[in-house]
């Protein structure tokens, strides 16, 4: 008896000391069940319209002693006068750069001295002036916001500084491939509709005049086209009084409804290349016209897009990144504005796999259109959307921007309260229907920013119509690109020894053996790391371009050679997905 | 721990707001309720911080491991960050990549980050999914899949990340370079991303050993913040974490520094930079010291916001720079303050730099004005209140206080301590640590137009 107790004791000690590995911890094998749901409801804000037409929306939230303000106007950059693009943005950004009461410096000092922040911005549809502060400073911030809205003087020197800085920013924009892609997408999808304009040109900014801003401000920033939203630790009655005090005398004006041309109907798929020479990557955007923000199909589209490409567990990401490794990320998005909207699927891929990436994109677009989504996929997407919704409401800023959206886009009054129910009501049939209706692969505009010479041959199978622009937005002559292939061709046949430099060090020698037929080149690749095959090699004039599939110590590696040939010498670059900065190399033909 | 609800009441009789043209008086009492915090240790040494707050049915779970680049030896740089990647490669009951999928399908968000000081992992979910987060975090703490395949794979991903985020970005290497000029001690001076040669040299045994030493429960802090029941949370924590064995304490770290910066001047040619730029760094005392706090306030006065001294002088007054920026590199050991600018084309860099030094000198002799002190106080209160809104931001701050100071209750005292700093302290700290030629000056030159 004693002995057996001892054994039990020894076993027990061993058991404990060995810890997790020995213990029977079956519960770890499967993910645990969730706890019970905590019900969650969102109240409704107080709403009132002042005599001058200013709509006031107040949402009391006493959790912490802070408050957020938004003064929104249903007026945006699309309402710029056609001869003065950029006027709305300039007027709005200049509001706090000098008023009848304060210089820009005094304004900044007063805002920051109470720990508050005030900012003004414009988008294509709206102007939003936002403020935030400790609730004890509510009145001070309201006064400051009123001062910038009612009394701006647009000082000449401040306007000049704005112009200088904006022009610097525009130059920087053009170095970004994503901007170049958006510029073309907007033009192709929206045609003569002002959504086609992505921003002012340098010349537009240069001709901005103080008088024009003054006149524009008076006409456009009017209370009867605005909504004032207050969220936070306030007393509704009291706050309403303060808003009346500071904004009550603001004179209403005439709200002009502008009519715009409809976006064009597209009948076929097209390709637009923005020629960014030497680009190691290709930015692909596939787009078509879709729905405006307050469209009844908003929720089915939201759920469908979650399945297709909104996140890092959506189909596009799982296919193009996780399974194929073409890119760091592939996504889809519905850009929904007040009057119209468009669908976009996009990725930055390495140039050599541009056509392969297009193939996978169109495979996924067809699949979501033609095959019903599984119940599990549907449920996962809904869980995600309904789950992250309350996370956005944790902060006052999050709640405020949702209320601002609801107000400015004229969404239903119970938008926030019914959001999760509406997501949950979407069916697999809804998903198929909206996919068919709003994703139109056969009429899509494909925009690719990258090196046009590399892209043309690869992608031409994907559309009958191809056009090319340069990075300044100027149309290029397609024939010029075609002619480059017709120049007298260099002969690259033979065995070449290549010398490659990587980070200042010379790599062990590589060699390629080439066979040329017309402009086509085949061959093999050899090095001490492993061997490979030259695929899709070609010669254009003096240029030799090829993709190499190699196997390095069991690892497959794809890379690209791009070189200029001069008799028995070649000089150029080797690039792979692993190295965004290509490696320089030089080659010598063995004789 | 004794008194969970020490009532911290901040009474701020705010000054008269004298606004040009309009006079308003605000005399208000400002009260900030302390956060409810419980802090304890499991028998295996895991430190646990609980911060229940039922405002929104959301919960954040953060795990802090006491390992950052400061723990790396020569020849082993980049390990802490490589490990952050390894932690998403699966464990005994969670397959590769599934952590993200589980969180996403529950309607949550997640991430992980590595700094010189620590590595953290965190997720925010609808409150009912708390057990899922604890299951996921405990599974990788006890049984991470440290395999050759995962190592090779993540090594490549990290290299690609380095190329994308550092090597292929204009000004991408500048901060790492400056760090190596400020700090002399290897533990402080090398970058978190590490060297590719070191990563290549890493063997599976190295990595397993690293995991055993640093990813042990006694080297970690678990924080839960948001909507949950404390008793239930404790029961779940015990269930998922208590049986993970503790390990011998990791080797101690020496982060001591001489007063002098490591290198005063350097010119760096940047292939991708569109314009020349410069960035200077000063060595300052460790976080949680009086001088550090005073200097972080001085930093706010110099470069935070449009009313800051440098913004008003250089962007507005002289119109000489495209951008002015600064930040404090906060560390448990010697830390740093950094100020840099991108001048407009054709402007004299020397002169702009001198303007910055002049502003520092002025602050070091005259100290902040009373208006500036009022601004600081209001900004500090506003920032503190806003940081308390989201469960994630609370969890992250609590994790740091627990890990660095073994005292998460500091979160309830931090604001008060900052508010007590006097203008003379700011002036004297600037005089001692910033108004000096003991600083690192890095000049960035676009490579094609030097």
């Amino acid at each position: 008896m004693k002995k057996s107790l001892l054994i039990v004791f020894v076993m027990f000690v061993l058991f404990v000391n060995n810890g997790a590995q020995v213990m029977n911890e079956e519960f770890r094998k499967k993910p645990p069940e969730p706890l019970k749901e905590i019900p969650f409801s969102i109240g409704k804000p107080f709403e009132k319209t002042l005599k001058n037409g200013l709509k006031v929306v107040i949402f009391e939230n006493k959790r912490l002693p802070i408050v957020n303000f938004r003064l929104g106007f249903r007026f945006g950059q699309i309402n710029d006068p056609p001869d003065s693009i950029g006027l709305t943005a300039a007027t709005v950004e200049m509001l706090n750069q000098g008023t009848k009461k304060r210089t820009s410096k005094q304004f900044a000092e007063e805002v920051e001295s109470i720990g508050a922040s005030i900012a003004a911005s414009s988008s294509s549809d709206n102007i939003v002036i936002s403020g935030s502060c400790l609730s004890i400073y509510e009145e001070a911030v309201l006064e400051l916001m009123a001062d910038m809205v009612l009394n701006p003087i647009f000082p000449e020197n401040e306007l000049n500084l704005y112009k200088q800085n904006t022009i610097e920013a525009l130059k920087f924009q053009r170095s970004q491939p994503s901007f170049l892609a958006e510029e073309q997408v907007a033009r192709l999808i929206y045609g003569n509709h002002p959504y086609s304009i992505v921003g002012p040109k340098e010349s537009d900014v240069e001709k901005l005049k103080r008088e024009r801003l003054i006149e524009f401000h008076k006409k456009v920033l009017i209370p009867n086209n605005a909504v004032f939203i207050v969220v936070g630790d306030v007393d509704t009655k009291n706050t309403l009084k303060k808003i009346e005090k500071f904004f009550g005398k603001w004179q209403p004006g005439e709200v002009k409804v502008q009519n715009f041309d409809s976006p064009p109907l597209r009948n076929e798929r097209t390709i637009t290349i923005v020629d960014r020479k030497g680009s190691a990557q290709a930015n692909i955007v596939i787009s078509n016209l879709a729905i405006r923000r307050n469209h009844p199909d908003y929720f089915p589209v939201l759920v469908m897009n979650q399945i297709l490409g909104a996140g890092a567990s959506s189909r596009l990401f799982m296919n193009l990144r996780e399974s194929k490794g073409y890119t760091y990320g592939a996504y889809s998005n519905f850009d929904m504005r007040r009057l119209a909207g468009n669908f976009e699927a996009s990725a930055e891929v390495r140039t050599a796999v541009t056509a392969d990436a297009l193939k996978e994109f169109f495979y996924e677009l067809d699949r979501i259109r033609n095959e019903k989504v599984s119940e599990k996929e549907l449920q996962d997407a809904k869980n995600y959307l309904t789950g992250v919704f309350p996370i956005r409401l944790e902060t006052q800023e999050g709640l405020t921007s949702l209320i601002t959206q609801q107000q400015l886009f004229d969404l239903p009054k119970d938008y926030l309260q019914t959001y999760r129910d509406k997501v949950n009501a979407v069916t697999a049939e809804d998903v198929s229907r909206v996919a068919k209706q709003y994703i139109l692969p056969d009429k899509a505009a494909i925009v690719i920013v990258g090196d046009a010479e590399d892209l043309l041959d690869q992608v031409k199978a994907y559309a009958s119509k191809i056009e090319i622009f340069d990075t300044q937005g100027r149309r290029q002559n397609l024939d010029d690109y075609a002619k480059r292939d017709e120049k007298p061709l260099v002969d690259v046949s033979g065995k070449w020894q290549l010398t490659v430099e990587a980070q200042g060090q010379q790599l062990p020698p590589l060699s390629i053996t080439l066979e040329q037929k017309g402009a086509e080149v085949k061959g093999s690749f050899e090095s001490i790391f492993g061997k490979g095959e030259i695929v899709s090699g070609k010669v254009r004039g003096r240029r030799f371009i090829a993709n190499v599939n190699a196997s390095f110590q069991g690892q497959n590696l794809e890379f690209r050679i791009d070189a200029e040939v001069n008799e028995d010498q070649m000089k150029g670059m080797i690039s792979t997905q692993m190295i965004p900065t290509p490696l320089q190399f030089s080659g010598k033909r063995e004789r | 721990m004794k008194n969970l609800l020490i009532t911290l009441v901040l009474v701020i009789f705010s000054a008269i707001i004298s606004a040009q043209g309009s006079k308003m008086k605000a005399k208000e009492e400002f009260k900030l309720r302390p956060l409810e915090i419980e802090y304890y240790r499991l028998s295996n040494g895991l430190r646990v911080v609980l911060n229940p707050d039922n405002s929104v049915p959301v919960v954040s779970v953060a795990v802090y491991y006491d390992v950052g680049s400061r723990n790396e030896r020569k020849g082993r740089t980049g390990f802490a960050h490589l490990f952050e990647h390894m932690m998403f490669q699966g464990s005994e009951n969670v397959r590769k990549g599934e952590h993200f999928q589980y969180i996403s399908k529950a309607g949550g968000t997640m991430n992980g980050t590595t700094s010189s000081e620590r590595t953290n992992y965190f997720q925010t979910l609808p409150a009912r999914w708390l057990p899922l987060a604890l299951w996921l975090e405990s599974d990788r703490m006890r049984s991470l899949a440290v395999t050759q395949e995962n190592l090779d794979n993540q090594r490549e991903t990290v290299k690609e990340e380095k190329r994308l985020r550092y090597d292929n970005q204009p000004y991408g290497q500048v901060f790492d370079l400056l760090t190596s000029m400020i700090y002399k001690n290897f533990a402080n001076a090398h970058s978190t991303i590490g060297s590719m040669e070191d990563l290549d040299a890493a063997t599976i045994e190295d990595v397993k050993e690293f995991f055993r030493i640093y990813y042990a429960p006694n080297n970690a802090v678990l924080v839960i913040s948001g909507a949950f029941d404390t008793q239930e949370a404790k029961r779940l924590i015990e269930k998922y974490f208590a049986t993970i064995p503790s390990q011998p304490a990791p080797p101690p770290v020496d982060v001591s520094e001489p007063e002098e910066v490591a290198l005063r001047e350097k010119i760096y040619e940047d292939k991708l930079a569109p314009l020349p730029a410069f960035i200077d760094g000063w060595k300052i005392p460790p976080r949680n010291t009086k001088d550090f706090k005073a200097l972080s306030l001085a930093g706010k006065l110099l470069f935070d916001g449009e009313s800051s001294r440098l913004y008003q002088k250089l962007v507005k007054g002289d119109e000489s720079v495209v951008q002015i920026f600064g930040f404090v590199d906060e560390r448990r050991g010697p830390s740093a303050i950094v100020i840099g600018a991108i001048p407009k084309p054709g402007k004299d860099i020397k002169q702009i730099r001198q303007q910055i030094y002049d502003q520092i000198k002025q602050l070091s002799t005259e100290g902040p004005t009373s208006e500036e002190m009022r601004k600081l106080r209001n900004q500090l209160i506003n920032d503190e209140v806003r940081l308390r809104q989201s469960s994630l931001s609370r969890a992250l701050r609590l994790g740091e206080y627990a890990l660095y100071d073994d005292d998460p209750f500091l979160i309830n005292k931090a604001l008060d301590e900052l508010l007590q700093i006097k203008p003379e302290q700011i002036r004297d700290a600037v005089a001692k640590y910033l108004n000096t030629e003991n600083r690192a000056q890095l000049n960035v030159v676009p490579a094609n137009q030097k």
Side-chain angles (χ1 to χ4, degrees):
Chain A
M1 189 67 188
K2 264 190 182 167
K3 206 177 172 185
S4 67
L5 254 181
L6 186 67
I7 291 168
V8 170
F9 178 73
V10 169
M11 279 179 66
F12 178 75
V13 169
L14 283 175
F15 189 67
V16 170
N17 282 350
N18 282 330
Q21 283 78 19
V22 183
M23 279 196 182
N24 178 14
E25 295 195 317
E26 274 302 312
F27 66 90
R28 293 196 188 273
K29 294 257 162 8
K30 276 190 181 157
E33 289 300 311
L35 307 170
K36 66 172 191 294
E37 175 107 49
I38 303 175
F40 175 52
S41 64
I42 308 163
K44 283 193 185 169
F46 166 90
E47 295 190 7
K48 188 189 170 174
T49 302
L50 305 186
K51 280 199 193 95
N52 59 7
L54 177 64
K55 185 176 179 188
V56 178
V57 177
I58 302 175
F59 193 105
E60 285 189 23
N61 177 340
K62 307 259 183 200
R63 187 177 147 213
L64 288 163
I66 45 177
V67 57
N68 274 276
F69 307 96
R70 296 280 187 284
L71 174 56
F73 296 83
R74 289 183 186 79
F75 186 99
Q77 293 170 8
I78 58 166
N79 307 99
D80 273 342
D83 67 339
S84 195
I85 300 301
L87 184 58
T88 303
T91 306
V92 169
E93 279 168 59
M94 290 288 298
L95 288 174
N96 58 2
Q97 300 301 305
T99 70
K100 285 178 194 160
K101 292 181 182 174
R102 299 169 170 101
T103 63
S104 69
K105 185 178 182 198
Q106 286 168 335
F107 198 93
E109 278 174 353
E110 277 189 48
V111 171
E112 290 177 8
S113 76
I114 53 172
S117 61
I118 292 181
S121 67
S122 59
S123 63
S124 58
D125 288 327
N126 302 308
I127 293 169
V128 177
I129 295 157
S130 51
S132 71
C133 63
L134 289 165
S135 40
I136 51 170
Y137 295 121
E138 180 192 355
E139 184 156 347
V141 169
L142 285 172
E143 194 274 333
L144 284 157
M145 285 175 77
D147 190 32
M148 69 188 270
V149 174
L150 302 177
N151 310 318
I153 56 168
F154 308 102
E156 200 76 62
N157 62 331
E158 297 282 2
L159 180 61
N160 284 336
L161 182 59
Y162 169 83
K163 284 156 80 167
Q164 277 176 38
N165 292 343
T166 305
I167 287 169
E168 286 300 323
L170 291 181
K171 281 184 196 154
F172 178 74
Q173 247 181 3
R174 276 209 181 271
S175 69
Q176 304 292 101
S178 55
F179 172 79
L180 299 174
E182 276 316 305
E183 182 177 55
Q184 292 299 329
V185 168
R187 180 182 66 81
L188 291 158
I189 299 299
Y190 294 108
N192 290 327
H193 190 284
Y195 283 157
S196 62
I197 302 167
V198 289
K201 298 196 169 52
E202 212 174 303
S203 55
D204 294 320
V205 177
E206 267 159 9
K207 69 181 188 199
L208 287 169
K209 287 262 173 350
R210 175 167 185 257
E211 296 69 39
R212 198 76 196 270
L213 268 69
I214 294 172
E215 171 206 19
F216 194 65
H217 161 258
K218 222 178 257 163
K219 245 185 16 204
V220 163
L221 291 195
I222 47 176
N224 46 324
N225 200 24
V227 54
F228 202 114
I229 297 156
V230 182
V231 179
D233 177 25
V234 296
D235 173 71
T236 299
K237 257 193 190 163
N238 205 330
T239 296
L240 189 63
K241 261 193 216 151
K242 287 175 194 158
I243 293 174
E244 269 171 344
K245 174 176 159 194
F246 293 116
F247 293 91
K249 294 200 184 88
W250 186 9
Q251 289 304 307
E254 191 188 343
V255 181
K256 281 201 185 131
V257 179
Q258 279 177 277
N259 291 312
F260 301 113
D261 287 355
S262 301
L265 286 175
R266 295 179 54 85
N267 312 313
E268 57 178 340
R269 193 194 282 174
T270 60
I271 292 180
T272 303
I273 296 175
V274 180
D275 189 7
R276 192 166 177 266
K277 294 200 171 25
S279 195
Q281 288 186 315
N283 282 47
I284 304 174
V285 182
I286 301 169
S287 182
N288 59 252
L289 199 64
I291 58 169
R292 62 178 193 278
R293 179 61 181 84
N294 69 354
H295 194 280
D297 279 334
Y298 176 80
F299 286 99
V301 164
L302 191 69
V303 174
M304 183 268 287
N305 190 49
Q306 187 62 39
I307 297 170
L308 174 64
S313 50
S314 303
R315 288 177 176 185
L316 289 174
F317 192 94
M318 295 310 282
N319 180 341
L320 277 94
R321 174 179 151 146
E322 295 292 295
S323 146
K324 302 291 187 315
Y326 293 156
T327 173
Y328 230 52
Y331 300 95
S332 65
N333 170 47
F334 280 81
D335 182 5
M336 295 180 265
R337 308 193 201 178
R338 181 174 293 123
L339 305 174
N342 62 301
F343 165 74
E344 289 183 7
S346 60
E348 289 177 35
V349 305
R350 56 207 150 97
T351 308
V353 297
T354 308
D356 302 327
L358 285 176
K359 185 177 154 206
E360 296 308 321
F361 265 120
F362 285 112
Y363 166 76
E364 292 297 351
L365 301 188
D366 286 338
R367 184 157 78 104
I368 194 128
R369 281 167 51 88
N370 300 327
E371 288 173 30
K372 203 168 133 182
V373 298
S374 72
E375 270 312 310
K376 180 161 186 330
E377 244 183 328
L378 180 67
Q379 197 53 51
D380 287 344
K382 291 181 185 179
N383 286 351
Y384 176 78
L385 290 166
T386 54
V388 293
F389 186 72
I391 298 177
R392 290 158 72 188
L393 298 176
E394 267 198 296
T395 63
Q396 232 179 55
E397 291 80 6
L399 175 61
T400 309
S401 47
L402 283 169
I403 294 177
T404 307
Q405 239 187 62
Q406 184 246 328
Q407 290 292 333
L408 287 178
F409 289 106
D410 302 304
L411 305 179
K413 273 195 182 317
D414 59 359
Y415 174 70
L416 296 184
Q417 291 75 17
T418 57
Y419 180 96
R420 287 173 298 165
D421 295 340
K422 286 188 174 159
V423 167
N424 281 326
V426 174
T427 65
E429 287 73 27
D430 293 333
V431 168
S432 296
R433 176 180 62 81
V434 295
K436 273 209 172 72
Q437 216 169 335
Y438 305 125
I439 296 177
L440 309 169
D442 295 340
K443 295 176 182 171
I446 305 174
V447 173
I448 310 175
V449 181
D451 195 320
E453 284 197 37
D454 296 348
L455 294 169
L456 268 171
D457 280 354
Q458 273 197 67
V459 303
K460 63 187 175 198
Y462 282 88
S464 50
K465 212 178 125 196
I466 298 187
E467 52 180 7
I468 302 183
F469 287 78
D470 69 4
T471 55
Q472 297 305 311
R474 293 174 296 221
R475 187 182 290 275
Q476 305 295 295
N477 190 349
L478 194 64
D479 293 342
D480 292 349
Y481 285 84
K483 271 183 204 143
R484 279 173 215 189
D485 286 349
E486 293 164 15
K487 282 178 200 161
L489 297 178
V490 73
D491 181 14
V492 296
S493 300
K495 185 171 184 184
W496 296 76
Q497 293 295 342
L498 309 187
T499 315
V500 187
E501 276 204 1
Q503 292 165 341
Q505 291 189 346
Q506 215 163 347
L507 294 184
L510 318 171
S511 70
I512 49 175
T513 308
L514 306 176
E515 264 176 71
Q516 184 171 348
K517 262 188 200 159
E520 306 291 313
V521 180
K522 281 196 287 190
S524 61
F525 159 88
E526 229 172 292
S527 79
I528 59 160
F529 302 119
K531 293 181 176 191
E533 185 195 1
I534 309 257
V535 287
S536 66
K538 55 183 157 286
V539 171
R540 286 189 203 131
R542 304 213 142 277
R543 196 169 164 201
F544 165 60
I545 306 158
N547 290 329
V548 181
N549 282 341
S551 169
F552 280 175
Q553 295 164 345
Q555 296 264 6
N556 286 327
L557 183 74
E558 219 174 323
F559 62 90
R560 190 164 170 281
I561 297 177
D562 187 336
E564 192 82 21
V565 182
N566 220 325
E567 296 189 344
D568 289 339
Q569 311 275 339
M570 67 165 83
K571 247 190 174 168
M573 292 182 301
I574 291 181
S575 53
T576 84
Q577 181 202 17
M578 304 293 186
I579 315 171
T581 324
L583 304 176
Q584 305 283 341
F585 82 93
S586 58
K588 230 183 178 176
R589 180 156 31 196
E590 284 182 6
R591 279 288 172 185
Chain B
M1 244 184 308
K2 301 161 244 165
N3 192 348
L4 290 183
L5 277 166
I6 312 155
T7 315
L8 171 94
V9 180
L10 287 166
V11 184
I12 290 133
F13 292 100
S14 68
I16 296 157
I17 304 165
S18 63
Q20 206 110 15
S22 79
K23 284 230 159 97
M24 278 175 291
K25 285 186 183 178
K27 194 176 182 190
E28 304 264 355
E29 195 175 90
F30 187 84
K31 289 182 193 174
L32 193 56
R33 263 218 339 251
L35 295 181
E36 189 179 333
I37 298 165
E38 194 163 339
Y39 184 44
Y40 65 99
R41 237 174 236 271
L42 299 189
S43 55
N44 59 9
L46 179 68
R47 282 158 280 177
V48 178
V49 186
L50 302 179
N51 165 229
D53 175 337
N54 293 325
S55 320
V56 185
V58 163
V59 72
S60 288
V61 175
V63 181
Y64 272 73
Y65 290 96
D66 195 348
V67 59
S69 55
R70 73 206 290 268
N71 302 87
E72 294 163 354
R73 294 177 286 122
K74 270 191 188 140
R76 289 288 178 269
T77 64
F79 266 47
H81 174 250
L82 175 66
F83 234 90
E84 180 205 318
H85 283 255
M86 293 294 288
M87 285 288 273
F88 295 96
Q89 297 307 302
S91 47
E92 189 179 330
N93 301 297
V94 181
R95 276 175 302 179
K96 187 177 178 146
E98 270 188 351
H99 190 116
F100 176 75
Q101 302 289 336
Y102 275 121
I103 297 292
S104 162
K105 285 165 189 176
T109 55
M110 51 130 263
N111 214 338
T113 70
T114 311
S115 76
S116 59
E117 307 303 295
R118 85 291 176 283
T119 312
N120 68 3
Y121 303 87
F122 47 85
Q123 39 262 303
T124 302
L125 306 109
R128 59 200 290 250
W129 291 100
L130 173 65
L132 177 72
L134 297 175
W135 174 68
L136 288 166
E137 288 296 359
S138 63
D139 211 55
R140 59 184 176 183
M141 187 187 286
R142 61 183 275 281
S143 65
L144 186 71
V146 184
T147 66
Q148 187 67 48
E149 191 196 346
N150 288 344
L151 172 62
D152 292 342
N153 176 316
Q154 287 316 298
R155 197 155 37 195
E156 287 314 308
T157 311
V158 169
K159 286 187 194 171
E160 194 161 348
E161 183 183 343
K162 176 169 161 25
R163 290 178 193 120
L164 230 96
R165 281 180 41 196
Y166 298 84
D167 303 350
N168 206 35
Q169 289 295 328
Y171 313 112
Q173 322 231 24
V174 166
F175 293 118
D176 283 347
L177 270 174
L178 186 71
T179 302
S180 71
M181 293 170 66
I182 297 171
Y183 302 111
K184 209 158 196 168
N185 183 334
F186 182 80
N188 303 323
H190 76 276
S191 72
T192 305
I193 193 86
S195 101
M196 296 304 104
E197 293 79 45
D198 289 357
L199 289 183
D200 279 336
T203 66
I204 190 78
E205 282 69 35
D206 292 335
V207 176
K208 277 185 175 155
E209 190 58 7
F210 197 88
F211 178 70
R212 188 187 62 78
I213 295 173
Y214 292 108
Y215 279 73
N218 48 310
N219 201 42
V221 170
L222 168 70
V223 192
I224 307 178
S225 176
F228 62 92
D229 175 77
T230 311
Q231 290 316 312
E232 186 160 41
K234 284 183 173 174
R235 192 181 56 72
L236 288 166
I237 292 166
E238 189 69 23
K239 174 176 171 182
Y240 286 108
F241 289 91
T243 57
I244 305 174
S246 63
Q247 297 292 337
V253 187
D254 173 16
V255 290
S256 62
E257 283 280 332
E259 263 176 46
E260 285 288 307
V261 294
L263 182 66
R264 288 208 177 177
E265 261 185 79
K266 189 174 186 139
I267 294 173
Y268 167 62
E269 290 184 9
D270 190 328
K271 280 201 301 261
L272 302 165
L275 289 171
F278 67 87
I279 178 166
D280 294 355
W282 291 259
K283 206 182 277 188
I284 67 173
R287 68 180 281 286
N288 224 352
T289 58
K290 279 218 161 105
D291 278 340
F292 176 89
K293 285 174 191 163
L295 288 164
S296 69
L297 298 188
K300 281 172 95 68
L301 296 180
L302 286 168
F303 49 68
D304 257 15
E306 291 189 13
S307 73
S308 67
R309 291 183 179 211
L310 292 175
Y311 185 91
Q312 280 299 330
K313 176 71 194 158
L314 300 172
V315 179
K316 285 293 196 179
D318 296 353
E319 301 187 3
S320 58
V321 304
V322 177
Q323 204 193 340
I324 174 96
F325 58 88
F327 62 89
V328 180
D329 178 23
E330 177 174 345
R331 299 182 179 219
R332 284 188 263 180
S335 301
I337 208 161
V338 167
I339 300 177
I342 304 178
K344 285 189 176 167
K347 296 284 175 184
D348 183 0
I349 291 190
K350 252 191 188 159
Q351 212 175 333
I352 296 169
R353 230 186 200 129
Q354 193 52 50
Q355 301 281 17
I356 293 176
Y357 301 153
D358 289 349
Q359 292 292 326
I360 288 173
K361 188 171 184 190
Q362 201 184 355
L363 191 56
S364 76
T365 48
E366 295 162 24
T369 65
S370 60
E371 260 307 300
E372 283 178 319
M373 290 310 290
R374 193 171 90 88
K375 168 169 97 169
L376 282 179
R377 193 182 52 197
N378 280 320
Q379 286 183 337
L380 291 167
I381 298 169
N382 183 65
D383 292 351
E384 175 66 35
V385 178
R386 285 185 192 269
L387 278 175
R388 291 187 173 201
Q389 296 187 85
S390 90
S391 54
L392 180 61
S393 111
R394 291 194 305 269
L396 297 183
R397 292 175 71 207
L398 288 165
E400 290 193 359
Y401 284 122
L403 191 73
Y404 301 164
D405 308 298
D406 192 23
D407 186 3
F409 299 95
L410 283 178
I411 199 172
N412 285 330
K413 299 174 197 149
L415 173 62
D416 218 15
E417 285 177 5
L418 286 174
L419 291 175
Q420 278 162 15
I421 291 172
K422 301 273 179 295
E424 302 78 51
Q425 283 173 274
I426 297 176
R427 180 195 65 199
D428 296 347
V430 172
K432 185 164 177 198
Y433 294 101
L434 300 188
N435 188 35
T436 161
E437 288 181 9
N438 179 24
R439 65 192 163 213
Q441 300 179 317
L442 178 61
N443 289 303
V444 185
V445 189
N448 49 355
Q449 46 175 282
K450 48 179 157 162

